[in-house]
Each structure stands twice: as C-alpha cells, then as structure tokens.
Amino acid sequence: MKNKKLINSFKYAFKGIGSAFLTERNMKIHVTMMILVIICGIIFKISVLEWFICIACFGIVIGGEMFNTAIEQVVNIAMPEKDPRAKLAKDVSAGGVLVLALAAATIGLIIFVPKALKLLEGIL
C-alpha cells in the first residue's frame, strides 16, 4: 500500500509539471530558456561546477513558477471577486518569480559572457 501511495505521489507531481507547462506561458518561456542554456553549455563546454549551478538555477526558477501558479490558482478559488488583498498576493508571488529569474539570468551572464567574448576574440 505504501508503494502505491509513493507511485501515485510521483504520478500527480509529473501531472502537475505537465499541466504547468501546458497552461502557463511563462513556464514555456522558462523551459525554452533552459534548453537554450543547455545548448550554450554544450557549445561552450562549461565545467561540472557551472553545470551544477545552471541546473540549480533551472530548478529554482521552474519551481518558483510552479509555486506562483499554485498560489494564483488558490487565490482565484478563495477570492473569485476582485480584492486588493488577492491582487497583492498574486503580484508578490509573480514578483518572487521575477526575482528568481533575474538572479538566474545574471548567473548565466556571469558564466557565458566571458566564454562568448573569448570565442569572439578567436574569430576576430
């Protein structure tokens, strides 16, 4: 019985990931950026440590987006009518994802810009 509950929890979690990807525009943007970073990581042959950092950023941003989606849905259920408190909760949640995404983008620039400049030096 415990194994079935564990399997179901994974099934529901994967269903949630799929639902977030299918229904949330920003999730599609985050996944697209993740794929681009992976391609750049392969092209620039980033180090194992840099891969760990990128993977952590992927998880943090995508997880943050999923929490934001969950918060927005719960607020919509709890407060179907317009309410400044509901708006604040949704805005703060979205702002949290923006902070995570900007931090991840900054880390990406720190990792990839020097490698891109080095490649350009070799070409020019």
Side-chain angles (χ1 to χ4, degrees), residues 44 111-124:
F44 289 118
I111 291 172
F112 289 104
V113 167
K115 294 174 187 322
L117 291 175
K118 191 173 183 179
L119 180 67
L120 284 174
E121 280 179 13
I123 293 172
L124 302 175

Side-chain angles (χ1 to χ4, degrees), residues 24 67-77 90-91 93-94:
E24 297 299 316
F67 286 128
N68 176 52
T69 298
I71 289 167
E72 287 180 351
Q73 291 301 315
V74 169
V75 168
N76 289 342
I77 291 166
K90 292 166 79 170
D91 290 351
S93 179

Side-chain angles (χ1 to χ4, degrees), residues 2-124:
K2 285 184 182 181
N3 285 339
K4 187 172 183 173
K5 286 183 180 182
L6 180 64
I7 290 168
N8 282 340
S9 69
F10 278 102
K11 182 176 83 173
Y12 300 140
F14 282 114
K15 187 174 181 177
I17 293 168
S19 295
F21 180 75
L22 292 174
T23 62
E24 297 299 316
R25 179 194 63 213
N26 288 346
M27 181 64 86
K28 292 175 184 156
I29 292 168
H30 295 312
V31 170
T32 300
M33 293 306 295
M34 179 182 76
I35 291 167
L36 291 173
V37 169
I38 291 169
I39 291 168
C40 287
I42 292 167
I43 290 169
F44 289 118
K45 297 177 174 63
I46 63 175
S47 71
V48 172
L49 177 60
E50 290 167 330
W51 276 116
F52 285 147
I53 293 167
C54 288
I55 291 166
C57 287
F58 301 155
I60 290 167
V61 172
I62 290 172
E65 184 63 42
M66 292 177 72
F67 286 128
N68 176 52
T69 298
I71 289 167
E72 287 180 351
Q73 291 301 315
V74 169
V75 168
N76 289 342
I77 291 166
M79 292 272 192
E81 64 284 343
K82 295 222 182 241
D83 184 292
R85 296 169 298 172
K87 182 180 182 330
L88 177 63
K90 292 166 79 170
D91 290 351
V92 170
S93 179
V97 177
L98 180 60
V99 169
L100 296 172
L102 290 173
T106 302
I107 290 167
L109 290 172
I110 291 167
I111 291 172
F112 289 104
V113 167
K115 294 174 187 322
L117 291 175
K118 191 173 183 179
L119 180 67
L120 284 174
E121 280 179 13
I123 293 172
L124 302 175

